[in-house]
Structure formats: C-alpha cells, structure tokens
Amino acid sequence: MEPSRMTLNRFGNTSSSSLWYELAYTEAKGRIKKGDRTWQIAFGSGFKCNSAVWRALKTIDPVKEKSPWVDEIDEFPVHVPKVSAINLGG
C-alpha cells in the first residue's frame, strides 16, 4: 500500500500510469531483487480489472536507474492522514 499512497500523494490520480509510478517507487526504494515477483493489479471503470505478475530479471540498483522518484525518494514515505476533517466554515 505504501507505493500506492505515496504515488497518490506526490502525483495525484494519474489513472493507469499510477501503476508504473508505484513500481518505480518500489525500485527507487531498493526493494526489487533478482527473482522477486510483483503483482500489479488495476481496477478500471465499471467491472474492469487487470493484473500481471512480474518477475525481476535482475536486482535493481536505484542509483543507476532513471526514475521519477530519484530526486526525492529519501523524503518518502510521508504521513498521509487516512481521514481529513471537513471545514464547513460556519
């Protein structure tokens, strides 16, 4: 859940490309090792659901990879409140 929450926090809802930001987050954190499997699952409008299982062919070295997270990955994860108060202003 951390990659998903941090992607939403940093980039907002980017629709289907959110999945790739989440994978890049996991790689930038150095959490992908050779042989690891990652389940990528996405829900679309209506009853659409897609999934794929990826197997890492190599250990990812975050320093050597180009990533949208590379400039500030050390600042994540951040605290994202699960519930926000609603100010009714009155």
Side-chain angles (χ1 to χ4, degrees):
M1 292 302 296
E2 178 186 324
S4 178
R5 290 176 57 83
M6 296 306 103
T7 295
L8 286 170
N9 178 263
R10 183 167 183 210
F11 299 105
N13 183 358
T14 59
S15 190
S16 60
S17 63
S18 293
L19 292 169
W20 303 110
Y21 287 124
E22 293 161 14
L23 181 58
Y25 178 90
T26 306
E27 291 176 341
K29 283 292 191 180
R31 297 178 182 162
I32 302 292
K33 308 288 185 232
K34 183 177 180 176
D36 285 353
R37 292 184 182 167
T38 300
W39 184 22
Q40 191 178 52
I41 186 166
F43 298 96
S45 59
F47 292 103
K48 290 190 294 185
C49 176
N50 296 304
S51 69
V53 175
W54 298 93
R55 185 172 48 92
L57 299 178
K58 65 178 183 175
T59 297
I60 301 297
D61 183 354
V63 176
K64 295 180 180 177
E65 299 295 321
K66 294 181 181 178
S67 168
W69 295 94
V70 72
D71 58 335
E72 54 187 87
I73 192 62
D74 294 331
E75 298 173 24
F76 289 91
V78 297
H79 173 70
V80 179
K82 292 183 180 180
V83 179
S84 298
I86 298 174
N87 183 358
L88 299 177

